[in-house]
Amino acid sequence: MATLQHAHFRVATIVMLAVGFALTVAALVALRSAADQNLQLVARSIAYTTEAAIVFRDTIAIQESLGLIARQESLASAQIVDAHGTLLGRYIRPTDSLPDAVGDRIVALLLPQPTITPVMYQSKRIAEVRLRGDGAGFVGFILMDLAGMLVCLGFGAVAVRQLSRRIQKDILQPVLVLTSVTHAARFDRATAARAPASNITEFHQLGEDFNALLMEIEAYQTQLHQENKSLSHLANHDSLTGLPNRTYFRRRLTRALQDIQTTGGSLAVLYLDNDHFKSINDRYGHAVGDTLLIEVADRVRAQVRENDVVARLGGDEFAILLAPLHNVEDAARIADKIIASMALPLDSRPQDHIVPSLSIGIAIYPIHGQTAEQLLRAADRAMYRVKSQQRGQRHIFNAYTDQHDGHGPLHPVDEREAP
């Protein structure tokens, strides 16, 4: 009998250790996969956010954006290097505690390679984002897992001593079921599976602890899913104005062109540039400049239809997609409404009497282009003609008069010219 008791004790101990180890491995694999996906989304968000700053080699803006996102997402390190390997921005989280150091080592073992995402501009790789995640979550999980294993081992030791005289199958069956659930969680990612109740109190408690741990993993995955949705929104929208960004606008314009080429009709692209924005920014500061951009975005959005797309392309440039478009006069009328809406000064700075002003270029499909790039280029040229002749007006692209100025197909005018 003593031999059987010792055998049961050894077998049960081994089984519980195996269950704990398998559960730990399964959870770490799941967390590793989720953390890797999260880092990929963070990297893409950084790439989209810093794209304009990288194009203009604005290292201050790159560093600020990189540091802001890296701190929000609890990254261990992040850096942006251009296509020649030159470092454009870098963030390293201060490591001033033992958990941070241990977590970084664990992350280095689970994710030995940094997460790398290219930064693309006009289908050209101009830089890449390299990230390493924070290991605090892994440390907390491992400590929790060790504590859970110790608790389970304690329950198991008591259970084995009290149940050693029972029939072997009554003891082995719950373990087999629990092992099956662990196997499903590890290899099939079936974290929704649960260990069934057992007639033996100790094994029932072990199953409850295991189920609780699976529930925590599910909760963590749900949280990651919600964060991923938030990051997806950040990747497609401008953080200052809340408008869609350049990438989202191009995607919507391309999709609208595909639809309209099938169904027929026309659409319009309006390219908007703030007049004298640089001089306002330099005179009153970036906070006032940001306020001006937010106010302009709100006024523009109020003048278009609900299904039209208003986007901030970067800097002080905006674009509007009017689809469908019934006639050219409708695009001109909307542009005139937008210009008229800028007549009032900013409410937040009545003492300075800052009045927004927009120069608008208009391109019509299929008259001025067949592709998104052609329409944006045509609208940009039309806008540039307004800037060079009389600001604060609108102009419809004319292929015979609006010649290319040699600055590239898309250029933020006010960011480079004198006020």
Side-chain angles (χ1 to χ4, degrees):
M1 182 63 67
T3 302
L4 182 59
Q5 289 179 344
H6 289 307
H8 284 172
F9 183 84
R10 288 194 298 268
V11 170
T13 301
I14 293 173
V15 169
M16 285 184 290
L17 287 175
V19 170
F21 176 77
L23 177 60
T24 302
V25 172
L28 287 176
V29 169
L31 287 176
R32 180 186 183 279
S33 176
D36 183 63
Q37 294 176 6
N38 187 56
L39 285 175
Q40 289 288 348
L41 281 173
V42 174
R44 286 198 292 271
S45 177
I46 293 175
Y48 292 142
T49 302
T50 60
E51 176 187 350
I54 293 173
V55 171
F56 292 105
R57 308 291 290 189
D58 188 348
T59 56
I60 295 177
I62 292 173
Q63 189 65 39
E64 290 178 350
S65 299
L66 182 62
L68 177 62
I69 297 177
R71 285 189 294 272
Q72 288 178 344
E73 300 302 329
S74 300
L75 299 178
S77 65
Q79 61 179 351
I80 299 177
V81 297
D82 64 16
H84 304 291
T86 303
L87 183 66
L88 301 179
R90 186 178 186 183
Y91 170 83
I92 298 178
R93 185 210 59 212
T95 304
D96 52 5
S97 64
L98 181 59
D100 289 340
V102 174
D104 290 345
R105 288 186 176 273
I106 293 174
V107 170
L109 291 174
L110 296 177
L111 300 170
Q113 299 297 327
T115 299
I116 299 176
T117 295
V119 181
M120 308 299 293
Y121 178 71
Q122 295 183 349
S123 302
K124 181 180 179 182
R125 186 186 185 117
I126 60 173
E128 64 180 22
V129 180
R130 302 173 181 174
L131 305 181
R132 283 193 179 275
D134 183 9
F138 286 100
V139 173
F141 169 77
I142 290 175
L143 292 177
M144 179 186 65
D145 182 67
L146 290 175
M149 288 180 62
L150 291 175
V151 171
C152 292
L153 285 173
F155 280 116
V158 174
V160 167
R161 289 186 179 276
Q162 294 180 351
L163 301 175
S164 60
R165 296 181 180 273
R166 292 188 180 183
I167 302 175
Q168 186 175 0
K169 67 177 182 180
D170 292 338
I171 299 176
L172 185 59
Q173 187 63 32
V175 176
L176 292 177
V177 173
L178 191 58
T179 302
S180 176
V181 176
T182 303
H183 186 278
R186 179 184 178 186
F187 294 100
D188 301 330
R189 305 292 188 268
T191 56
R194 294 291 182 267
S198 172
N199 295 327
I200 303 176
T201 305
E202 289 76 8
F203 279 102
H204 179 77
Q205 183 63 51
L206 181 61
E208 289 296 310
D209 291 340
F210 179 65
N211 290 341
L213 192 53
L214 285 178
M215 291 175 63
E216 291 183 9
I217 295 174
E218 276 194 305
Y220 183 75
Q221 290 177 333
T222 300
Q223 179 184 355
L224 285 179
H225 178 70
Q226 293 173 348
E227 292 177 355
N228 291 344
K229 290 177 62 177
S230 176
L231 288 173
S232 178
H233 182 272
L234 289 175
N236 289 284
H237 290 77
D238 171 50
S239 59
L240 177 64
T241 62
L243 295 176
N245 58 19
R246 180 189 296 270
T247 302
Y248 181 87
F249 184 81
R250 282 180 177 271
R251 188 163 60 246
R252 282 292 301 271
L253 176 56
T254 301
R255 188 184 308 148
L257 287 171
Q258 293 173 347
D259 294 340
I260 214 164
Q261 286 167 1
T262 302
T263 61
S266 63
L267 58 79
V269 173
L270 280 62
Y271 206 104
L272 293 69
D273 189 275
N274 281 270
D275 299 322
H276 308 297
F277 178 75
K278 187 176 185 301
S279 62
I280 294 174
N281 215 29
D282 292 342
R283 180 176 180 182
Y284 299 104
H286 293 294
V288 176
D290 289 346
T291 301
L292 175 64
L293 292 175
I294 294 172
E295 180 67 21
V296 168
D298 291 340
R299 294 186 187 184
V300 171
R301 190 159 40 193
Q303 304 306 316
V304 299
R305 298 169 298 184
E306 184 177 354
N307 60 323
D308 295 327
V309 179
V310 181
R312 182 187 177 195
L313 301 184
D316 60 337
E317 294 179 332
F318 297 84
I320 302 174
L321 170 61
L322 302 177
L325 185 72
H326 299 296
N327 51 63
V328 177
E329 289 73 18
D330 287 344
R333 177 178 54 80
I334 292 175
D336 290 337
K337 287 176 57 181
I338 292 172
I339 292 172
S341 71
M342 300 295 149
L344 296 176
L346 296 183
D347 292 338
S348 60
R349 305 286 295 190
Q351 70 278 15
D352 299 319
H353 198 72
I354 300 174
V355 180
S357 175
L358 291 176
S359 295
I360 304 177
I362 304 173
I364 308 297
Y365 169 87
I367 303 173
H368 304 136
Q370 301 291 321
T371 66
E373 184 65 32
Q374 291 172 351
L375 290 171
L376 281 168
R377 186 184 298 114
D380 181 47
R381 291 183 188 178
M383 180 275 295
Y384 193 77
R385 184 169 183 84
V386 175
K387 301 286 285 189
S388 63
Q389 292 185 347
Q390 184 178 5
R391 302 185 182 194
Q393 300 296 321
R394 52 89 174 167
H395 176 65
I396 300 176
F397 177 73
N398 187 318
Y400 296 101
T401 60
D402 301 340
Q403 298 299 318
H404 200 282
D405 65 348
H407 286 284
L410 298 174
H411 48 276
V413 180
D414 274 353
E415 291 296 317
R416 293 197 300 271
E417 67 177 10

